[in-house]
Amino acid sequence: MKTLLMYPPVTDPTSAYHSLTYLETYAREHGHTEIDIVDTNIEAFHYSMRPEEVQRVLTHMQQRRSTLEAQAELNGLEQIELFTIVQASSFDFSRLSAAVDLLRDPEAFYQYDRYKHAVELVVNWLESLSIMGFPGQFAQFGTNLRGPLNPQTSEDLVNHELTERMLLPFEPYFQNVLLPRIAAGGYATVGINVTYTNQLPFALGISRLIRNAFPEITILFGGTEVSDVWKYMTKRERFFEIFDAADACVVGEGEIAFVRLLDMIENKQFTKHANVFFHPRHEVKDDLPVIQYLDIAALPTPNFDKINWDLYLSPEPFIYYSPSRGCYWNKCTFCDYGLNGDSPTSPWRHNPLEKVVEDLRVLSKSYKFIYFSVDVLAPSMLLHLSERLIEEGIDIRWGAEIRLEKYWSPERAKLLKDAGCVAVSVGFESGNQRILNLINKGTQIQSVEEVIKNFSEAGIAVQIMGFTGFPGETMEEAKESIDFLMETRSQWTFGGLGRFMLTQGAIVAKQPEEFGVTEVGAYQNEDVPRSLHYLHPEKRTKEEEDALDLLKSKMMTYDLDRPWVGGVDASHSFFYHDRFGTHVLKQITKKPEATATQEFVLNGNVVEEPVGYPLNNIHSPRSYATVRISQKETHKAGMVAREIFPLLESLVIAKDETANVEKRLIRNDGSHFKYSNEILDFFAFFKEGNTLQNYLDLHPEADASLFKRLLHVALERKFLKPALTEELVSTPLHRASL
């Protein structure tokens, strides 16, 4: 019996996630050998950047721009569309293939200015591609979760029209590649793994496409996101209205359940099984599924040979390996991860040391970069593993998430480095001891600082995470967290501070009275709530939170985030840490000198604004988030599609026939800037690369000192950058066919 396992868009294009490999390897060991894996996330992206596809999208945008500019008025949705089209017009998408080649080139990848330009072009292409579905449906390289569809409400998730339209940017791939592949492959079963919320609308849409095209195929769903939907749903009777195309869904760990389901499909009989939820049409008589956790020591060494590594946007493979599951601490009051029952995470289990060593021995023969994908690794286990890696001569580069415990002395940190540790990810959470105690983190702020220093001085990059806004935190306590990170800035590379978000599985939500929290509840309309509203006497206003965010932003001296260099645990960050060590920030934040004779190039494009519709006056994709946030803050309600679309459509503006055609600078990261035409013309002078001296020679009447200052400002604000030879041209690489 043939089975196809699929990973849906839209998520990290730099590496293969390990969930499907773990399923396939386990099933192979248990007799199911005809299983293929396809990553539709990366395949759909590659298909979209074929020259004929790029031209199709650009032609559509040109036609739509002409139509919209000719209209006497535009509603809010049309304004978002026009804004998206104008932004897309500033990018040279003929260089997409060169950008992808650069991200896979083992030398050019580490030239950060070229790397950053390539990433920005790739990201802007995906955001521009949204014009074929809902303009604004993508954000960075993912789904705009505050965009057209609200993933926290079943009303939107069951809406076929919404998910079908969100699929349209990738429809040619689905129709021309995926569906014919399923037909030609003779698959009896299709399994769809959904790890992130970003993927959910696309997974649902793909499953409905497959169900309509192949009604006889058995469709299975699994993955963290499927489990989270089941976990968070307030009306679980609607679960299979969301997963309507599925025959069965796996909730919780999937290896054993997947194998048993394949056995059942071969035997043409579904029966009750742990971690499996069957669609009611199969009339399997059971209550809600019993959640069971497997003995992970029984798992075979994951075999990644079904992954087409040539497709990913990285210079070499980067794999994930899980030596443990769950968290050994399992006490933090904010945490809510997995099907956790009464504890913050799922039960902690770890492989015997000998098995981990043997697994890594096998994997190291094919892969150099390995990330230990776990909630957290126990200190003694990690130390003993490092000793064995050195003894056995297993040469890998690895990283992991750890707790900041006093256990990590300078000597032990150095041992990890000698064993191949490149970077660790840590949750320091807060720089205030009272808040750490409320969180029940089990750490002391003084020892946290010492441990960070120990790792950094051992040559291990520290990626650090925390948050402000825990219930009861004062403004001064929040600033202590910012101060802590600023004072230790030289000892960590990437990370920062987010905002506290209350979820229903957290101890704070289950025992609100212990934290002074009241009125805990889901936002109206959201029956799959990923966050809850609550009250606390110390809860800050939006203005106070915005002020804190401004302070936090001053720590972020780099430009990109996940899944690129700068993102915590991102494969690209890992590669850069390995190449440049703990001094990686110096490599990616170099500031050029503003000399008159050096050649600089425009970091973006100066474009003409729409005729009669200045961009400052029309709505952008950010309007989705603005409207949704306002509704939550004002009415404690989430918005569904049937509410947000009419509201945006009602925001009509008339064409200003008297307005002059203005220009603006759109930087390569998508940011917009409005200046006088004289300044914009100065920036445009550098479009193909030029020098300030050449400009002054051509404009002898110009104030040289003024334009020298302007050059300095342009470099500071990244409007200009040093010119590079053949910026997006790299050695042609083998590109795998789809």
Side-chain angles (χ1 to χ4, degrees):
M1 182 185 75
K2 297 189 69 175
T3 298
L4 181 66
L5 291 176
M6 291 172 36
Y7 200 59
V10 174
T11 186
D12 184 351
T14 69
S15 185
Y17 199 64
H18 61 312
S19 52
L20 293 182
T21 290
Y22 268 72
L23 289 175
E24 189 278 331
T25 306
Y26 187 81
R28 189 190 312 186
E29 188 175 76
H30 287 78
H32 296 281
T33 58
E34 294 186 289
I35 300 177
D36 295 321
I37 294 176
V38 58
D39 187 338
T40 65
N41 174 58
I42 191 62
E43 286 197 2
F45 171 75
H46 278 294
Y47 194 93
S48 79
M49 54 171 275
R50 290 184 174 190
E52 65 273 18
E53 285 300 305
V54 173
Q55 189 56 53
R56 181 179 70 89
V57 174
L58 295 181
T59 300
H60 173 79
M61 286 195 287
Q62 291 167 357
Q63 294 170 345
R64 286 297 296 158
R65 178 168 183 170
S66 297
T67 298
L68 293 168
E69 286 186 329
Q71 292 179 196
E73 61 181 28
L74 297 177
N75 66 43
L77 292 175
E78 291 169 329
Q79 294 167 47
I80 292 172
E81 182 180 9
L82 182 58
F83 189 100
T84 304
I85 291 170
V86 174
Q87 177 155 310
S89 71
S90 70
F91 305 116
D92 182 3
F93 292 125
S94 67
R95 297 187 177 188
L96 265 176
S97 291
V100 168
D101 282 347
L102 188 145
L103 294 175
R104 299 190 298 199
D105 187 295
E107 294 304 323
F109 176 87
Y110 294 102
Q111 299 169 25
Y112 184 72
D113 286 341
R114 298 177 68 193
Y115 167 88
K116 181 172 176 285
H117 189 182
V119 167
E120 288 170 339
L121 193 62
V122 164
V123 168
N124 284 312
W125 170 243
L126 184 66
E127 293 186 353
S128 300
L129 198 59
S130 72
I131 205 72
M132 307 304 289
F134 287 109
Q137 73 178 48
F138 299 124
Q140 293 300 310
F141 208 98
T143 306
N144 181 0
L145 298 179
R146 289 176 170 169
L149 180 146
N150 183 350
Q152 301 193 66
T153 172
S154 62
E155 181 175 327
D156 282 4
L157 295 173
V158 304
N159 187 327
H160 287 214
E161 291 183 9
L162 279 178
T163 57
E164 286 172 7
R165 184 167 172 182
M166 289 188 73
L167 282 186
L168 289 178
F170 303 126
E171 182 182 35
Y173 163 77
F174 296 131
Q175 296 296 336
N176 298 331
V177 177
L178 182 63
L179 294 182
R181 177 187 290 164
I182 293 173
Y187 296 105
T189 304
V190 171
I192 303 175
N193 178 269
V194 194
T195 304
Y196 303 108
T197 309
N198 277 311
Q199 299 172 282
L200 184 57
F202 300 94
L204 296 174
I206 292 170
S207 70
R208 291 160 185 163
L209 273 180
I210 295 171
R211 173 59 67 215
N212 290 335
F214 308 102
E216 74 285 357
I217 282 181
T218 300
I219 298 177
L220 309 177
F221 266 93
T224 305
E225 177 61 15
V226 176
S227 297
D228 280 351
V229 171
W230 180 83
K231 169 183 172 180
Y232 290 126
M233 283 197 79
T234 58
K235 301 175 182 176
R236 285 185 178 160
E237 64 274 11
R238 298 205 69 184
F239 183 80
F240 275 109
E241 292 181 40
I242 296 174
F243 298 100
D244 54 335
D247 292 285
C249 292
V250 175
V251 289
E253 295 173 349
E255 289 89 350
I256 294 175
F258 177 58
V259 168
R260 295 297 174 264
L261 280 167
L262 294 183
D263 292 341
M264 294 178 202
I265 294 166
E266 284 188 331
N267 295 327
K268 297 180 170 41
Q269 179 66 49
F270 282 144
T271 57
K272 179 179 177 180
H273 194 276
N275 294 23
V276 178
F277 204 7
F278 291 98
H279 194 288
R281 64 173 167 265
H282 292 294
E283 298 182 342
V284 176
K285 302 297 182 181
D286 63 349
D287 299 320
L288 294 179
V290 175
I291 305 301
Q292 291 184 351
Y293 298 94
L294 56 82
D295 174 11
I296 64 171
L299 295 176
T301 304
N303 187 330
F304 291 87
D305 63 4
K306 294 289 182 79
I307 301 299
N308 185 351
W309 292 107
D310 291 333
L311 293 174
Y312 295 95
L313 310 190
S314 289
E316 55 186 301
F318 177 92
I319 67 169
Y320 297 90
Y321 167 71
S322 298
S324 69
R325 292 182 182 178
C327 173
Y328 69 88
W329 179 252
N330 211 359
K331 297 177 184 179
C332 294
T333 57
F334 70 89
C335 190
D336 177 15
Y337 188 77
L339 295 175
N340 47 7
D342 294 327
S343 60
T345 74
S346 58
W348 183 59
R349 292 144 293 150
H350 67 88
N351 275 325
L353 178 61
E354 290 304 319
K355 174 166 173 47
V356 177
V357 171
E358 184 56 31
D359 285 349
L360 293 176
R361 189 196 320 278
V362 173
L363 293 171
S364 68
K365 294 176 182 178
S366 302
Y367 307 102
K368 177 181 178 181
F369 293 96
I370 303 177
Y371 185 75
F372 297 154
S373 181
V374 297
D375 293 343
V376 67
L377 275 174
S380 60
M381 168 70 170
L382 195 52
L383 189 73
H384 294 318
L385 174 60
S386 297
E387 292 171 340
R388 290 296 305 280
L389 290 175
I390 294 170
E391 291 172 6
E392 301 285 339
I394 297 174
D395 184 17
I396 57 174
R397 301 294 178 269
W398 57 271
E401 186 162 335
I402 66 167
R403 278 173 48 82
L404 290 167
E405 308 213 21
K406 291 179 67 176
Y407 181 90
W408 295 115
S409 64
E411 296 75 21
R412 287 169 171 166
K414 184 180 183 304
L415 179 66
L416 266 60
K417 176 65 177 177
D418 293 343
C421 183
V422 170
V424 292
S425 302
V426 299
F428 91 109
E429 317 311 0
S430 174
N432 176 268
Q433 191 61 51
R434 188 181 75 88
I435 299 301
L436 286 176
N437 294 342
L438 284 173
I439 289 172
N440 198 14
K441 188 68 180 178
T443 55
Q444 299 294 315
I445 194 63
Q446 182 177 353
S447 62
V448 164
E449 185 173 357
E450 292 173 0
V451 171
I452 292 172
K453 180 181 178 182
N454 292 343
F455 277 113
S456 181
E457 291 186 348
I460 296 174
V462 177
Q463 302 173 107
I464 197 161
M465 300 167 285
F467 56 86
T468 59
F470 189 81
E473 180 190 67
T474 66
M475 193 72 168
E476 289 306 311
E477 288 170 333
K479 290 179 180 177
E480 286 184 42
S481 293
I482 297 173
D483 292 342
F484 176 85
L485 290 184
M486 292 296 286
E487 291 165 4
T488 59
R489 189 63 191 90
S490 64
Q491 295 165 6
W492 57 273
T493 57
F494 304 134
L497 290 167
R499 289 188 186 183
F500 172 76
M501 183 177 70
L502 182 60
T503 56
Q504 66 186 34
I507 291 173
V508 174
K510 294 175 179 178
Q511 302 169 21
E513 64 285 348
E514 293 189 15
F515 301 89
V517 170
T518 59
E519 298 188 28
V520 176
Y523 291 93
Q524 184 180 338
N525 294 331
E526 294 188 344
D527 57 349
V528 194
R530 316 306 177 97
S531 63
L532 305 175
H533 64 73
Y534 66 94
L535 289 180
H536 189 283
E538 294 286 347
K539 193 172 185 180
R540 287 188 282 275
T541 64
K542 181 181 183 300
E543 291 71 24
E544 289 174 324
E545 288 290 357
D546 289 344
L548 279 175
D549 285 345
L550 183 60
L551 292 174
K552 295 174 187 178
S553 68
K554 295 179 180 179
M555 295 183 291
M556 302 298 105
T557 56
Y558 48 92
D559 301 303
L560 304 174
D561 204 341
R562 283 188 66 87
W564 317 109
V565 171
V568 172
D569 296 342
S571 61
H572 285 193
S573 294
F574 201 83
F575 294 141
Y576 263 65
H577 281 136
D578 181 60
R579 175 65 63 95
F580 302 112
T582 57
H583 303 295
V584 64
L585 283 179
K586 292 181 181 179
Q587 184 68 27
I588 70 175
T589 58
K590 294 177 181 177
K591 292 186 177 180
E593 293 185 16
T595 62
T597 56
Q598 182 173 350
E599 186 176 4
F600 296 102
V601 66
L602 183 62
N603 184 29
N605 205 357
V606 175
V607 301
E608 288 191 350
E609 299 201 7
V611 178
Y613 293 110
L615 293 185
N616 283 346
N617 298 345
I618 68 175
H619 286 277
S620 75
R622 293 181 180 178
S623 298
Y624 280 114
T626 301
V627 170
R628 290 191 183 281
I629 291 170
S630 175
Q631 184 76 356
K632 283 196 167 184
E633 291 176 347
T634 306
H635 302 290
K636 291 185 179 179
M639 297 191 76
V640 293
R642 62 176 168 81
E643 296 173 326
I644 200 166
F645 289 144
L647 190 153
L648 289 171
E649 286 175 338
S650 71
L651 304 177
V652 177
I653 63 168
K655 185 175 184 179
D656 185 355
E657 300 286 358
T658 65
N660 295 323
V661 176
E662 300 288 346
K663 294 186 291 186
R664 69 171 52 209
L665 170 65
I666 300 180
R667 206 165 57 187
N668 281 333
D669 63 1
S671 302
H672 290 228
F673 302 90
K674 187 76 180 74
Y675 290 101
S676 69
N677 284 343
E678 182 182 13
I679 291 177
L680 290 173
D681 288 343
F682 173 73
F683 293 157
F685 179 76
F686 295 88
K687 173 61 181 173
E688 301 301 330
N690 224 313
T691 69
L692 174 61
Q693 190 60 56
N694 286 342
Y695 182 86
L696 294 175
D697 290 345
L698 290 170
H699 301 84
E701 76 287 355
D703 183 337
S705 62
L706 174 64
F707 279 91
K708 286 178 182 178
R709 291 197 299 272
L710 182 56
L711 175 64
H712 178 79
V713 171
L715 291 171
E716 280 289 318
R717 298 187 179 180
K718 302 177 182 177
F719 301 152
L720 300 178
K721 59 184 180 179
L724 298 169
T725 304
E726 301 296 346
E727 187 164 312
L728 280 183
V729 176
S730 60
T731 304
L733 303 175
H734 168 68
R735 181 172 291 114
S737 59
L738 300 182

